[in-house]
């Protein structure tokens, strides 16, 4: 929508989500924002997915509209529409000029990157943003071509243009928002435009993936794929700002680090795997065989095979540590088992036992593949309780026991987390409070990834969500308590993926725009028992609580104690204890007098968690008003 200085509004409605024509689709005009008239040109694209509009500030009777519509099965191939609309204020009429045949060079990646702007003091100079930035000096009287590129792949301006705006008092100064951040030029009229980066600490780090070196305990290398900003690596030993370096380009997708960093494998869109200077993927396949997002996994036992999904196919690469290897073969039984239109959306490999794979699909089904390297056998382990046509975003496989698995469904408003202790023979819905969204105004987040970490005798589970990081110490069916981690550091930022390193107890997360975080937990039984033998946290009494309830906990020796109260969605709401205490029995009387915030808590389910050294325990508490 754009609004002129006199209050005239122009609004655009796209097609329906299934691309079918809709009644309101098209371009509308209103002089008061209340009464609207449809003014679409007669050759408007009936299946336009996205349309952008630009007003000529020096003559607000002139507007440009650029539309994108699909042009074939490849979603990145578009049919572009361009029109100029001129309003005759005296006669209260509008004139349309069709310029469609003059913008064919622009690629918007299926409407993903589209921007349009008119120079404030010159209605003839128009800027068009797609993967590149184009400029017309004659109101598109001549067709746009490669010669019109003033930013993008061939220049210092990062590609994929998202927004354009001019300085409010200097019409020569143009600001650009792209997938690389914020850039500007002091003179947009120059034949060759000079661009300057204005990020100044703003980080364009939308992590698709993050991974550690699982094979070498003392190696602190991290590798992560970034949306349209390549693949990056980290080490505290790198003599660079923030210790990060670029590893490979493109849209950074899945990545992994092998034993002694041989190999280090990254990937970019449509199935391209990078090993050293080689780009490898099955030579029988092309871009059309892959989804945009590339993911893979490799054999966790002896690292001698890599597995790459290609929509409904699963391919195996032998000896991935060889830079020049091209020894691909298809595990055909997977394609033969999947139904029409079913696409692999997740694949995970086991360590103990070796050569077992778990596959998730876009139709909410999960399969187990045994003997993947020799004589593959596939078993459908889909549970009747799985969401119909759910999207399987991840299957976590416990590193010590491949029968212990967690399936994650990343859709909104569906049961999202299921766990199995017997290789998928039976399942338990363990989304717990992450699936409830029971608080007023709270919508359950989308779960993107779950990772288990064995800590001596117990297992911790971490969930990456669109609302931050959560953890639980016990998969307890519908009563599973997922509690927020890093409330004041990580916050409620979206997390696409996390990784956990069994040998060191490290956990690392890659966020969507808020950086990378890591933490280390105790891993050995001796290390835990040293601090936790004899520590207990009792169930509160009475439960449900009305005006008051008592919580008892016991310490064998002195120690730092934290006990916090969480909402049903795992968000911290009250600190009950945070102090160094002596050994023995201790009591919390949770009431209005001691904790004023308690009185305002509504009826419902809550959780309280105790942390003392390496001891953690969580109990459920109910309030009944």
């Amino acid at each position: 929508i754009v609004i002129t200085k006199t209050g005239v509004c122009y609004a655009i409605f796209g097609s329906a989500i299934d691309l079918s024509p809709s009644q309101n689709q098209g371009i509308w005009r209103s002089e008061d924002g209340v009464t609207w008239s449809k003014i679409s040109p007669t050759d408007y694209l009936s299946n336009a997915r996205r349309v952008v509009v630009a007003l000529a500030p020096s003559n607000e009777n002139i507007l440009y509209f650029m539309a994108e519509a699909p042009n074939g099965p490849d979603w990145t191939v578009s049919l572009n529409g361009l029109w100029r609309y001129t309003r005759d204020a005296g006669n209260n009429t509008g004139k349309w000029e069709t310029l469609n045949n003059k913008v064919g060079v622009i690629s918007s990646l299926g409407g993903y990157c589209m921007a349009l702007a008119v120079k404030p003091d010159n209605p003839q100079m128009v800027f068009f943003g797609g993967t590149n930035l184009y400029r017309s000096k004659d109101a598109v009287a001549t067709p746009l071509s490669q010669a019109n590129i003033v930013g993008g792949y061939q220049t210092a301006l990062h590609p994929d243009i998202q927004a354009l705006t001019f300085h409010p008092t200097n019409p020569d100064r143009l600001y650009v928002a792209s997938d690389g951040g914020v850039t500007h030029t002091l003179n947009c009229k120059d034949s060759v435009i000079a661009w300057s980066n204005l990020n100044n600490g703003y980080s364009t780090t939308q992590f698709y993936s993050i991974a550690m070196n699982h094979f070498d305990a003392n190696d602190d290398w991290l590798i992560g794929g970034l949306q349209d900003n390549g693949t990056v690596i980290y080490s505290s030993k790198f003599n660079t700002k923030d210790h990060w370096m670029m590893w490979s380009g493109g849209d950074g997708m899945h990545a992994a680090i092998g034993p002694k960093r041989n190999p280090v494998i990254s990937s970019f869109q449509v199935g391209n795997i990078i090993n050293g200077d080689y780009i490898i993927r099955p030579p029988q396949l092309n871009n059309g065989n892959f989804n945009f997002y590339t993911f893979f996994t490799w054999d966790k036992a002896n690292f001698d095979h890599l597995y790459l999904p290609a929509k409904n196919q699963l391919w195996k690469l032998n000896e991935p540590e060889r830079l020049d290897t091209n020894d691909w073969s298809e595990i055909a039984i997977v394609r033969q088992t999947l139904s029409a239109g079913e696409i692999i959306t997740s694949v995970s490999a086991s360590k103990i036992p070796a050569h077992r794979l778990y596959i998730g699909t876009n139709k909410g089904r999960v399969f187990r593949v045994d003997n993947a390297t020799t004589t593959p056998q596939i078993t459908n382990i889909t549970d009747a309780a799985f969401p119909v046509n759910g999207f399987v975003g991840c299957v976590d496989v416990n590193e010590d026991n491949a029968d212990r698995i967690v399936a994650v469904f990343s859709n909104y408003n569906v049961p999202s987390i299921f766990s199995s202790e017997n290789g998928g023979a039976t399942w338990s819905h363990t989304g717990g409070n992450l699936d409830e969204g029971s608080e007023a105004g709270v919508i359950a987040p989308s779960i993107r990834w779950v990772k288990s970490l064995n800590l001596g005798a117990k297992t911790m589970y971490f969930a990456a969500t669109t609302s931050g990081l959560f953890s639980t110490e016990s998969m307890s069916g519908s009563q599973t308590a997922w509690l927020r981690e890093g409330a004041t550091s990580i916050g409620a930022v979206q997390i696409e993926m996390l990784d956990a390193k069994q040998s060191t107890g490290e956990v690392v997360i890659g966020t969507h725009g808020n950086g990378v975080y890591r933490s280390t937990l105790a891993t050995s039984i001796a290390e835990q028992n040293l601090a936790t033998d004899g520590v207990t946290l009792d169930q509160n009494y009475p439960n449900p609580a009305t005006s008051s309830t008592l919580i008892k906990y016991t310490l064998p020796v002195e120690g730092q104690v934290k006990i916090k109260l969480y909402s049903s969605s795992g968000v911290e709401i009250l600190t009950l204890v945070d102090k160094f205490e002596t050994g023995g029995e201790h009591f919390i009387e949770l009431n209005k007098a001691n904790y004023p915030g308690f009185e305002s808590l509504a009826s419902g389910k809550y959780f309280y968690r105790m942390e003392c050294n390496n001891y953690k325990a969580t109990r459920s508490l109910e309030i009944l008003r």
Side-chain angles (χ1 to χ4, degrees), residues 528-560:
Q528 293 177 45
N529 287 346
L530 182 66
T532 61
D533 276 353
V535 180
T536 61
L537 175 66
D538 291 356
Q539 182 65 53
N540 66 295
Y541 181 83
N543 191 33
T546 53
S547 58
S548 179
T549 189
L550 199 66
I551 299 172
K552 174 188 171 184
Y553 58 98
T554 305
L555 307 179
V557 295
E558 60 186 16
Q560 183 70 29

Side-chain angles (χ1 to χ4, degrees), residues 119-139:
K119 195 170 186 294
D121 61 348
N122 181 1
Q124 301 291 304
M125 185 172 289
V126 188
F127 291 84
F128 303 84
T131 54
N132 291 309
L133 181 64
Y134 296 80
R135 177 182 61 191
S136 172
K137 295 182 178 181
D138 59 7

